Amino acid sequence: MGNCIARLTERKNLWPWLLLAPLAIYMAVFFLVPLIDVAIMSVTEPRPTLANYQRVLTGSLYLRVFLNTFITAATVTFACLLVGYPLAYLMANSKPRTATLILLLVTMSFWTSFLVRTYAWMVLLGNNGPIVWLLQTLGVQQPPQLLFTRFSSTLAMVHILAPYMVMNIYSVMRKIDPVLIRSAESLGAKGLALFRHVYLPLTAPGIANGSVLVFVICLGFYVTPVLLGSPREQMVAGLIGNQIDEFLAFGMGSAMAMVLLVVTLAILTIYHRRFGLDKLWG
Amino acid sequence: MSHLKLSGISKSYGQFNALEAVDLDIAKGEFVTFLGPSGSGKTTTLMIIAGFESATSGQVEIENKSLFGLAPYQRNIGIVFQNYGLFPHKTAAQNVYFPLQMRGVKKAEGLRKAEEMLELVGLKGFGHRHPKELSGGQQQRVALARALVFEPSLLLLDEPLGALDKNLREQMQIEIKRIQRALGVTTIFVTHDQSEAMSMSDRIVVFEKGRIQQVATPLELYHRPQTRFVASFIGESNLIDVKITDAAKREARNDAIGAIQYAPSNRPPTGSEATLMIRPENIKLSRNPVEGRHNVRMKVETIINYGDNALVVGKVGEQMMRVRVLGADVVIIKEGEECCISWLHDSVYLIAK
């Protein structure tokens, strides 16, 4: 046996593959097998037909949930960009101490469990929470319902996902050669023109990376929209949870999960064709 | 009349004086090189002219107008940086169009001008390529075209050839000179490479430790360096410390070599300390003394053969001497032997202390 391995590794350089084997086996057993199981369930539960997919792709309820999921993911991505870009700029262009401080704040929020952060928003936005209290003190007679709305779930998701955006954009901004900015200035560019024609295009890869990451993660978000969102405006992950927890409809849940998986893979493929997936992690 | 005038430019960072009272006049159309080792102040001076650094004191004027308080984008100065600073997201033509775009030139006209300029730098038909699809030399040309297309009042080149290999560097030296002459643009070229400075410049400004050591044409700098630093930095030289023994007879004395006569000079008086410079190619190597020349015996230590010529290093007493001989002449001696070296009095140049 040992002899056999020795001969194999001699012939081709197989050591890297042998080193990867534990991880590969783990992924196969605990990820690939269950995933295949889900795929099989989607066409066999309760009976072996494609009926589940037919219902998912034609039922107006399901389509509305998918649409809602995309709109929410797009909104969250856009909001993360609006918050994250200036923050990343500030980090990339301030003195080392300030930059470290901002970095610390961003990563601290990142390190806190997102369940904890979700509950924190429940406290902040609740009917007896500080924000409602503040509005009442300022004289708003009937403070609007904040918790369990699209607003509250979107806000919390932006908070949770913004660090992904900030980090991706920051890593690109930091690598920008200052000579490019100096060149632009010497050639007559200033202020907004310099930003629009030089700085923004140079940071575009970071924007694309951050956006696709936030969008894809957001598509499958479960806890936050379930705990904070409006029950009438569910996202796909929540709906899948419902199917399985409440209706024990494993087939329907699986079919939805497969559709979500295919859509996500499609987005990543398009992104890969355009920008290269290998750049996604900086 | 001077086109660019620097008066009393100083720059200090805390206690450290990067530049001290730099004065310089550059005429219109002139090609001037700032030469010096790194940290000598040449790049700082360039950045002050460009507006990226501000002088602690002093004035920069172009055509008698002060540039004080003007941001880089208001100065109308073209710069080529060492690593070119081309925008990676724009094609060559878009890069060259950029300064025109910033000046409100319409796209069709701007791109046409950009193509014309690319043609002038020898890149006709390369306009649609992105910088990463171009070689180092081609990127260099694009950067040059971009810095020239808006007809700047001044062109600054910050060690632009540093990243290129030797052959390409020589080719680009010729190209840059050709383009500069064709457009007649006043140019400042920064380098630490003396041969680059010698081959390209109308005049060279030698910097050391934040001061201008000498401003002169390449030939003058080579033959009549004003300081010991210039003599050692430009070309090879034998520098011999002497005491002037008789200024009228142009006689000096070095402990190792003895009495030496030097070429006409009206500078130091009898009794003062000075340095004599003899270029290695002005020294002749022979077995026996040569009549009409100043002869001394030298013990040969090292011979470095370059094929067409050889460098012979040896000692006269304690004085190290370098002799440059033609390749064929070197066969007469071997390392470790004694031989005769000789020079004419006229090739001994005196530098005051």
Side-chain angles (χ1 to χ4, degrees):
Chain A
M1 177 68 189
N3 202 355
C4 178
I5 289 176
R7 226 184 309 139
L8 268 174
T9 51
E10 242 170 64
R11 200 163 351 130
K12 270 186 190 167
N13 202 356
L14 283 176
W15 272 113
W17 300 109
L18 283 176
L19 289 173
L20 272 176
L23 182 68
I25 292 166
Y26 179 90
M27 289 299 280
V29 173
F30 294 101
F31 181 72
L32 209 56
V33 171
L35 189 65
I36 292 168
D37 195 34
V38 168
I40 293 171
M41 267 199 290
S42 71
V43 288
T44 55
E45 288 281 335
R47 278 174 300 281
T49 57
L50 287 174
N52 287 330
Y53 284 100
Q54 200 184 356
R55 275 178 68 197
V56 170
L57 296 174
T58 55
S60 69
L61 166 70
Y62 307 114
L63 285 181
R64 211 177 65 227
V65 170
F66 268 102
L67 192 67
N68 183 43
T69 306
F70 280 105
I71 291 171
T72 307
T75 314
V76 168
T77 306
F78 188 65
C80 280
L81 187 61
L82 282 187
V83 177
Y85 197 90
L87 204 57
Y89 182 84
L90 210 61
M91 262 162 78
N93 292 283
S94 46
K95 294 199 181 76
R97 274 186 64 152
T98 322
T100 313
L101 188 71
I102 303 171
L103 185 71
L104 201 71
L105 289 175
V106 171
T107 46
M108 233 161 58
S109 132
F110 195 55
W111 288 334
T112 313
S113 152
F114 69 90
L115 204 59
V116 171
R117 280 185 282 167
T118 303
Y119 279 117
W121 280 113
M122 287 178 91
V123 173
L124 283 175
L125 299 173
N127 286 339
N128 301 316
I131 291 171
V132 170
W133 174 82
L134 187 71
L135 287 173
Q136 278 168 338
T137 315
L138 289 174
V140 181
Q141 293 300 324
Q142 276 213 309
Q145 171 71 28
L146 297 175
L147 203 54
F148 310 125
T149 59
R150 185 197 280 273
F151 168 76
S152 59
S153 68
T154 307
L155 184 66
M157 280 192 280
V158 169
H159 174 221
I160 290 165
L161 294 173
Y164 289 97
M165 189 68 94
V166 174
M167 292 314 212
N168 266 293
I169 297 176
Y170 171 66
S171 76
V172 170
M173 282 179 176
R174 249 186 41 156
K175 276 184 257 170
I176 291 178
D177 187 349
V179 163
L180 293 177
I181 307 303
R182 285 196 158 186
S183 294
E185 282 182 88
S186 77
L187 296 167
K190 61 161 195 274
L192 205 62
L194 193 150
F195 178 76
R196 194 162 78 87
H197 293 285
V198 179
Y199 199 78
L200 188 64
L202 287 174
T203 52
I207 295 173
N209 291 350
S211 297
V212 79
L213 210 57
V214 169
F215 190 81
V216 164
I217 295 176
C218 200
L219 281 183
F221 235 70
Y222 176 67
V223 172
T224 305
V226 165
L227 289 181
L228 288 176
S230 154
R232 273 165 287 125
E233 286 163 348
Q234 269 188 320
M235 288 177 68
V236 173
L239 191 63
I240 295 172
N242 275 349
Q243 297 290 325
I244 292 177
D245 285 352
E246 291 175 26
F247 308 122
L248 298 174
F250 288 97
M252 273 306 282
S254 301
M256 279 184 233
M258 291 316 289
V259 172
L260 184 59
L261 180 67
V262 168
V263 169
T264 307
L265 286 178
I267 292 169
L268 287 176
T269 308
I270 293 168
Y271 178 82
H272 179 58
R273 290 266 163 80
R274 182 72 183 77
F275 298 102
L277 211 50
D278 45 336
K279 293 202 190 102
L280 199 53
W281 306 100
Chain B
M1 199 195 84
S2 73
H3 178 67
L4 172 75
K5 189 177 171 66
L6 307 183
S7 22
I9 304 275
S10 296
K11 173 79 180 171
S12 44
Y13 300 96
Q15 291 294 308
F16 174 67
N17 291 330
L19 279 182
E20 285 179 64
V22 167
D23 294 306
L24 187 65
D25 282 322
I26 295 177
K28 198 167 180 62
E30 211 178 355
F31 192 111
V32 172
T33 298
F34 288 1
L35 177 67
S38 56
S40 59
K42 57 191 193 308
T43 300
T44 307
T45 309
L46 198 76
M47 289 300 130
I48 287 170
I49 297 171
F52 290 115
E53 302 253 9
S54 56
T56 311
S57 61
Q59 273 250 76
V60 182
E61 290 165 273
I62 291 181
E63 297 288 340
N64 292 325
K65 283 200 198 86
S66 169
L67 297 185
F68 183 78
L70 292 184
Y73 62 83
Q74 295 167 315
R75 296 198 173 195
N76 208 41
I77 293 174
I79 309 180
V80 176
F81 290 95
Q82 177 159 17
N83 48 2
Y84 320 136
L86 294 180
F87 305 130
H89 59 286
K90 290 177 182 288
T91 64
Q94 285 167 344
N95 262 286
V96 180
Y97 167 52
F98 182 76
L100 299 175
Q101 192 180 10
M102 292 299 111
R103 285 165 176 75
V105 177
K106 291 272 179 302
K107 192 161 189 175
E109 191 197 342
L111 283 174
R112 187 181 52 74
K113 274 194 174 170
E115 287 293 348
E116 273 173 24
M117 193 47 84
L118 282 172
E119 191 175 340
L120 179 74
V121 300
L123 283 180
K124 190 178 161 81
F126 284 83
H128 62 283
R129 295 215 196 167
H130 279 86
K132 66 168 187 283
E133 298 166 320
L134 298 169
S135 71
Q138 289 168 336
Q139 289 182 27
Q140 170 88 78
R141 288 163 198 258
V142 176
L144 199 59
R146 190 179 66 171
L148 287 168
V149 73
F150 58 98
E151 292 166 21
S153 57
L154 195 62
L155 175 66
L156 307 180
L157 305 166
D158 185 13
E159 307 219 14
L161 306 179
L164 302 177
D165 66 44
K166 191 171 168 292
N167 286 337
L168 201 54
R169 202 150 63 204
E170 280 171 6
Q171 203 182 320
M172 280 310 295
Q173 286 176 16
I174 297 166
E175 273 295 289
I176 290 176
K177 270 307 278 185
R178 178 184 67 78
I179 295 160
Q180 191 262 341
R181 280 210 196 98
L183 297 175
V185 59
T186 312
T187 302
I188 298 176
F189 182 92
V190 167
T191 184
H192 60 264
D193 183 322
Q194 48 119 347
S195 69
E196 220 164 80
M198 295 292 282
S199 67
M200 296 176 76
S201 323
D202 294 326
R203 282 192 302 159
I204 298 174
V205 182
V206 183
F207 280 82
E208 195 212 17
K209 291 180 183 154
R211 290 171 181 278
I212 290 181
Q213 295 278 318
Q214 189 169 357
V215 183
T217 64
L219 281 182
E220 200 182 325
L221 217 52
Y222 189 79
H223 294 294
R224 287 188 287 282
Q226 266 164 21
T227 66
R228 201 188 156 97
F229 173 80
V230 175
S232 63
F233 198 69
I234 312 279
E236 282 182 310
S237 54
N238 292 294
L239 296 172
I240 303 160
D241 290 319
V242 293
K243 192 167 185 165
I244 311 288
T245 47
D246 189 338
K249 286 185 186 159
R250 307 197 310 266
E251 267 178 15
R253 186 169 180 81
N254 170 272
D255 291 341
I257 299 175
I260 309 172
Q261 272 214 315
Y262 51 86
S265 163
N266 54 7
R267 275 173 289 181
T270 305
S272 60
E273 304 268 323
T275 302
L276 298 182
M277 178 192 80
I278 312 174
R279 295 288 184 190
E281 69 272 19
N282 291 334
I283 301 178
K284 205 175 159 121
L285 193 112
S286 55
R287 284 226 166 273
N288 302 306
V290 182
E291 211 169 314
R293 296 172 75 92
H294 185 120
N295 291 280
V296 288
R297 308 275 315 160
M298 179 177 86
K299 189 167 190 319
V300 176
E301 293 191 338
T302 315
I303 301 173
I304 303 165
N305 214 319
Y306 294 99
D308 61 337
N309 73 84
L311 179 68
V312 179
V313 184
K315 266 185 176 169
V316 177
E318 283 305 300
Q319 176 71 43
M320 183 76 79
M321 294 295 282
R322 300 157 77 86
V323 183
R324 186 65 72 171
V325 296
L326 287 178
D329 293 354
V330 82
V331 296
I332 64 165
I333 50 140
K334 289 197 182 69
E335 285 178 5
E337 284 183 346
E338 271 218 353
C339 66
C340 206
I341 57 170
S342 62
W343 57 79
L344 294 169
H345 301 318
D346 280 349
S347 49
V348 181
Y349 181 77
L350 186 138
I351 302 163
K353 266 270 157 76

